[in-house]
Amino acid sequence: MADKYTVEEAEALAKRALHSPIAQATPIYEQLLSLYPTSARFWKQYVEAQMAVNNDDATKQIFSRCLLTCLQVPLWQCYIRFIRKVYDKKGAEGQEETTKAFEFMLNYIGTDIASGPIWTEYIAFLKSLPALNLNEDLHRKTALRKVYHRAILTPTHHVEQLWKDYENFENTVNRQLAKGLVNEYQPKFNSARAVYRERKKYIEEIDWNMLAVPPTGTSQEETQWVAWKKFLSFEKGNPQRIDTASSTKRIIYAYEQCLMCLYHYPDVWYDYAEWHVKSGSTDAAIKVFQRALKAIPDSEMLKYAFAEMEESRGAIQSAKKLYENILGASTNSLAHIQYLRFLRRAEGVEAARKYFLDARKSPSCTYHVYIAFATMAFCIDKEPKVAHNIFEEGLKLYMSEPVYILEYADFLTRLNDDRNIRALFERALSTLPVEDSAEVWKRFIQFEQTYGDLASILKVEQRMKEALSGKGEEGSSPLESSLQDVVSRYSYMDLWPCASNDLDHLARQELLVKNLNKKAGKTNLPHGPAAIGSVASSSKVVYPDTSQMVVQDPTKKSEFASSAKPVAASASNTFPSIVTATATHGSASTFDEIPKTTPPALVAFLANLPIVDGPTPNVDVVLSICLQSDFPTGQIVKQSFAAKGNPPSQNDPSGPTRGVSQRLPRDRRATKRKDSDRPEEDDTATVQSQPLPTDVFRLRQMRKARGIATSSQTPTGSTSYGSAFSGELSGSTG
């Protein structure tokens, strides 16, 4: 529906019609105005095109179609211009018709903030009328005074100018009388001027050229909706403290203007009708609803609201016709249910029962209708047997609907019929697909927690795990009991047997276990003597991924080789596992898999981080480690070895000495920079000279796996990185 409301196409059509002959422009205007019947701008353009060719009959017809629905000053100014063109040369009869036209116009749009020029034009017209005798002159002045009094009490852009004109008018007629009248109306004028200044703020936020299109949720539409709501609220507050009739007239005018822009907004129509109802004008509210359904014929909300209003005032037959109209337009389960409820309220339960017997045969009838009528029979009409029969009948059709099963279980729970509840759960769970049975299993467990003993509770829980985890599949860890089961078993409503942080901790653990089980089924573990350390094969590093939050496998070389930035993880968990995994696969260097770009300060920081269970480490612990860490300073020293060369000796000045990098000569630093710029041809030929924290136990396991005895060149000194690591560094890498 919204596709045909294209503002750009409408503007293009209006522009084309503006430059086309009237015969070609007429169908274009008719097409435009069928889509935008409240566009005063398009109506004005259309009527001016007819006036330009002096087609008076067509002009009158157009005005009769648009004036009362398009309350905008420029269009009405066009109307009075046409009236004066037709009647100005017809003498007294024409003057009388013009006066009627002015009064008709001001009766509708005289409260508009932009109506000042119309008031001024009407006053000028009255002044121009001939007065052949004293009585006619007195009558004209009296009419002028009344128009002035109405004009100066209206908050318009020209209110101050009209007040000055009024003072001059009274002083011209009678100076003594003028003083009293001016003093009487001065406070009223001051009030109108103050209200005008406030009203102007709300008016300036409104786009008067906005075409009425169905809401699409754009920011511009929402801005206009808010602007209109503010203006309507302002007018409803009666800031000028005028009489009720005048205030009501202004509010109606504001609503009608609002509907010119928000014609397809059901909430505006509903607010308008409800305001009429609260004001005691039900007939006006009925007319608003009728116009609303003409504007938005597919709105079920407005139809239900209209039917509700008719029912509330006792117009049962009118409300019934509206419900039947809803059923005819869109026969669905909701329409059946609402009509059932209406019939029970208006005509009794027997009428509702007869309709239910017919509705259940409809193709559009779903399990919702059975639940609604059964609930109605039980809760409202106090007939549990009838409700039970309805649920049983529906169960034959909707055994595969979990919602229906749960509603039936709730009904039996109200009857305290525990035997039939168990039977219902057993029947349903034997036929429901596994993917649809989770909620039914949970409700079964809740029932057993209320009615059963501990053995039955545990039995149903185990059955649920077996059903939902899948029998015979690998990684069936959900069958194992966990503390989560205890928490679930011993909680009630919003009462828990543990603190909120314990719940968070258990939830994180459950997520980690699930992810680890998934990974365990996909990871190919090494076999044979190379897999000596179950430490290596079983160690898994948890990398928090902010986009997916899954546990990743860090043992794949490509993940490190292609990574420009190393993942921030615990060094105690990351680096030793990489070293061990590399040794398992027989790599030439134990540190080849470590990213070459890691700065020494970052290495030292990571080395001190503790193992983290879950994605959120304790901030206080991290800060404490940062404050206690002794970050190394100096440059990173890279050394290149031949594939079969010997490792640097302990006394080699270029090698590492207790974790402190030695300064290189200028020529060697230059060579180092050049070498670092070249792509490495042999990954096994270089290592980072910066010593890394090492787990002694894992290094020994690595040596045993590779059959290498402990080297006598192992330094006896230890390198300390905080309090987390301390141990030996092997002098041999290969």
Side-chain angles (χ1 to χ4, degrees):
M1 177 182 176
D3 294 339
K4 63 181 181 180
Y5 293 97
T6 307
V7 175
E8 292 77 9
E9 291 182 6
E11 297 290 352
L13 282 174
K15 188 176 181 180
R16 191 175 77 184
L18 186 64
H19 298 91
S20 300
I22 191 62
Q24 299 176 9
T26 297
I28 298 176
Y29 284 123
E30 291 295 335
Q31 177 187 353
L32 276 174
L33 294 168
S34 65
L35 291 176
Y36 306 100
T38 59
S39 174
R41 181 160 52 96
F42 289 165
W43 282 111
K44 180 175 179 290
Q45 187 175 321
Y46 187 18
V47 78
E48 285 179 339
Q50 297 288 0
M51 290 172 62
V53 294
N54 296 316
N55 195 343
D56 292 349
D57 292 337
T59 302
K60 290 179 182 179
Q61 186 180 7
I62 294 171
F63 277 130
S64 67
R65 293 166 58 190
C66 69
L67 278 181
L68 299 184
T69 55
C70 297
L71 302 178
Q72 203 173 73
V73 170
L75 177 63
W76 282 79
Q77 285 178 315
C78 187
Y79 162 73
I80 200 64
R81 191 163 65 247
F82 170 73
I83 292 296
R84 298 194 70 172
K85 172 188 172 184
V86 174
Y87 290 105
D88 272 357
K89 297 180 181 179
K90 293 187 177 181
E93 180 184 356
Q95 293 170 0
E96 184 178 355
E97 291 295 328
T98 303
T99 302
K100 290 180 181 179
F102 268 115
E103 287 293 335
F104 170 74
M105 179 171 59
L106 290 171
N107 184 54
Y108 276 94
I109 65 167
T111 61
D112 197 298
I113 195 172
S115 63
I118 297 177
W119 288 104
T120 302
E121 184 179 355
Y122 186 27
I123 290 170
F125 169 74
L126 292 176
K127 288 181 178 180
S128 67
L129 294 179
L132 301 178
N133 52 54
L134 187 60
N135 288 334
E136 289 183 358
D137 183 59
L138 184 62
H139 178 74
R140 183 184 64 178
K141 290 178 180 178
T142 302
L144 274 170
R145 182 174 288 111
K146 290 181 179 179
V147 174
Y148 268 122
H149 287 171
R150 290 161 58 193
I152 61 177
L153 296 182
T154 305
T156 65
H157 295 306
H158 295 72
V159 66
E160 293 188 6
Q161 183 60 45
L162 286 167
W163 173 254
K164 293 178 182 178
D165 293 345
Y166 172 62
E167 285 184 310
N168 292 333
F169 166 76
E170 291 292 358
N171 287 323
T172 303
V173 173
N174 189 328
R175 284 185 173 275
Q176 293 181 350
L177 183 63
K179 188 175 181 180
L181 289 172
V182 168
N183 290 337
E184 178 184 352
Y185 278 89
Q186 180 79 50
K188 298 178 182 180
F189 157 71
N190 291 337
S191 176
R193 181 175 58 182
V195 170
Y196 157 70
R197 291 171 180 170
E198 288 296 318
R199 181 193 261 191
K200 183 181 177 183
K201 298 176 184 177
Y202 295 100
I203 293 294
E204 288 175 347
E205 297 180 3
I206 295 173
D207 179 11
W208 295 95
N209 291 323
M210 176 183 175
L211 291 178
V213 297
T216 59
T218 63
S219 59
Q220 181 184 4
E221 291 174 355
E222 292 177 351
T223 300
Q224 288 302 300
W225 184 86
V226 171
W228 278 111
K229 285 288 184 179
K230 290 180 179 179
F231 180 51
L232 288 168
S233 178
F234 170 76
E235 291 292 354
K236 288 178 183 178
N238 189 10
Q240 200 171 341
R241 300 296 181 264
I242 53 180
D243 59 277
T244 304
S246 300
S247 176
T248 299
K249 193 173 181 179
R250 288 188 184 180
I251 296 170
I252 292 174
Y253 184 76
Y255 267 115
E256 293 292 342
Q257 282 196 314
C258 177
L259 288 170
M260 290 172 58
C261 299
L262 307 182
Y263 186 68
H264 297 279
Y265 284 66
D267 62 299
V268 178
W269 287 104
Y270 178 74
D271 288 347
Y272 191 13
E274 279 295 296
W275 175 79
H276 273 302
V277 171
K278 292 177 181 178
S279 301
S281 182
T282 307
D283 293 337
I286 293 173
K287 292 179 180 178
V288 170
F289 271 123
Q290 290 171 345
R291 290 170 56 196
L293 293 178
K294 184 179 178 182
I296 318 173
D298 298 330
S299 176
E300 289 188 13
M301 297 183 293
L302 289 175
K303 291 176 183 177
Y304 283 125
F306 191 10
E308 182 183 85
M309 190 197 72
E310 292 288 62
E311 183 183 354
S312 64
R313 73 185 188 96
I316 302 300
Q317 292 304 314
S318 176
K320 190 173 182 178
K321 287 180 180 178
L322 285 166
Y323 278 108
E324 291 172 350
N325 178 267
I326 295 172
L327 284 167
S330 58
T331 305
N332 52 44
S333 292
L334 181 61
H336 288 309
I337 293 169
Q338 296 303 333
Y339 192 41
L340 271 173
R341 292 177 171 179
F342 166 75
L343 287 175
R344 188 201 63 80
R345 293 193 303 265
E347 301 179 10
V349 67
E350 187 61 26
R353 187 185 67 82
K354 289 180 180 179
Y355 181 75
F356 170 72
L357 295 177
D358 293 334
R360 64 178 182 168
K361 302 174 185 177
S362 171
S364 61
C365 179
T366 62
Y367 66 87
H368 304 83
V369 180
Y370 281 82
I371 295 173
F373 188 64
T375 306
M376 181 190 302
F378 174 62
C379 297
I380 301 175
D381 300 311
K382 315 300 180 185
E383 297 183 5
K385 186 175 180 180
V386 174
H388 191 276
N389 293 337
I390 295 169
F391 270 118
E392 279 296 321
E393 183 181 353
L395 193 63
K396 300 173 184 177
L397 301 173
Y398 307 113
M399 180 67 82
S400 61
E401 293 289 346
V403 177
Y404 189 82
I405 303 300
L406 297 177
E407 289 290 337
Y408 192 7
D410 284 344
F411 165 71
L412 293 174
T413 302
R414 294 174 189 173
L415 295 180
N416 202 26
D417 190 355
D418 56 324
R419 292 182 59 187
N420 279 327
I421 295 175
R422 284 193 177 91
L424 173 64
F425 282 130
E426 295 293 349
R427 290 162 62 190
L429 291 171
S430 64
T431 58
L432 275 175
V434 175
E435 59 271 14
D436 297 333
S437 63
E439 289 300 321
V440 179
W441 277 112
K442 290 179 182 178
R443 188 67 64 86
F444 195 4
I445 291 175
Q446 291 176 5
F447 165 77
E448 290 294 349
Q449 289 175 352
T450 304
Y451 290 87
D453 53 21
L454 182 59
S456 62
I457 296 173
L458 298 176
K459 182 179 179 180
V460 174
E461 284 185 356
Q462 186 65 20
R463 287 176 58 194
M464 181 186 73
K465 291 179 180 180
E466 292 174 356
L468 298 183
S469 64
K471 297 179 180 179
E473 295 181 1
E474 294 182 3
S476 57
S477 60
L479 295 177
E480 300 175 0
S481 297
S482 67
L483 197 57
Q484 285 275 23
D485 299 331
V486 178
V487 172
S488 176
R489 202 175 300 139
Y490 290 95
S491 61
Y492 184 75
M493 297 178 66
D494 59 343
L495 305 176
W496 303 90
C498 57
S500 59
N501 58 342
D502 293 329
L503 287 175
D504 294 339
H505 181 68
L506 288 174
R508 288 197 299 270
Q509 284 184 329
E510 185 178 19
L511 176 63
L512 290 172
V513 168
K514 288 180 180 179
N515 289 330
L516 287 174
N517 288 333
K518 291 178 182 178
K519 284 292 182 181
K522 298 179 181 180
T523 304
N524 295 324
L525 299 177
H527 300 282
I532 257 182
S534 57
V535 179
S537 62
S538 64
S539 73
K540 292 186 179 294
V541 182
V542 179
Y543 292 97
D545 186 341
T546 56
S547 62
Q548 310 224 352
M549 294 303 293
V550 296
V551 179
Q552 299 180 353
D553 186 357
T555 60
K556 296 180 181 179
K557 180 176 179 179
S558 59
E559 293 185 10
F560 287 91
S562 61
S563 176
K565 296 181 180 180
V567 180
S570 167
S572 62
N573 207 358
T574 306
F575 295 127
S577 62
I578 296 172
V579 171
T580 313
T582 305
T584 306
H585 291 80
S587 175
S589 174
T590 58
F591 300 118
D592 282 351
E593 296 299 323
I594 301 174
K596 309 294 189 298
T597 59
T598 307
L602 179 57
V603 171
F605 171 68
L606 295 178
N608 288 276
L609 288 180
I611 299 175
V612 177
D613 289 334
T616 54
N618 190 314
V619 178
D620 293 332
V621 174
V622 176
L623 292 176
S624 176
I625 293 172
C626 293
L627 293 173
Q628 296 177 20
S629 296
D630 183 16
F631 294 150
T633 58
Q635 298 178 338
I636 300 175
V637 181
K638 269 193 172 183
Q639 297 188 22
S640 298
F641 308 105
K644 298 182 180 180
N646 295 324
S649 66
Q650 191 173 359
N651 298 325
D652 188 347
S654 65
T657 304
R658 298 190 181 183
V660 181
S661 300
Q662 302 295 324
R663 297 186 60 85
L664 295 176
R666 184 182 304 273
D667 56 344
R668 295 208 42 195
R669 288 201 298 270
T671 306
K672 173 181 174 295
R673 286 196 297 270
K674 292 179 182 179
D675 292 341
S676 64
D677 295 336
R678 291 199 306 269
E680 298 183 13
E681 297 179 357
D682 186 1
D683 291 336
T684 63
T686 61
V687 295
Q688 277 186 287
S689 60
Q690 177 65 33
L692 296 173
T694 308
D695 191 312
V696 178
F697 175 77
R698 290 190 178 182
L699 279 179
R700 288 175 178 171
Q701 292 292 335
M702 178 189 69
R703 295 192 191 98
K704 290 180 181 179
R706 300 180 57 191
I708 299 177
T710 305
S711 174
S712 61
Q713 296 178 352
T714 303
T716 58
S718 63
T719 304
S720 175
Y721 290 89
S723 60
F725 293 92
S726 112
E728 302 173 352
L729 293 177
S730 172
S732 173
T733 60

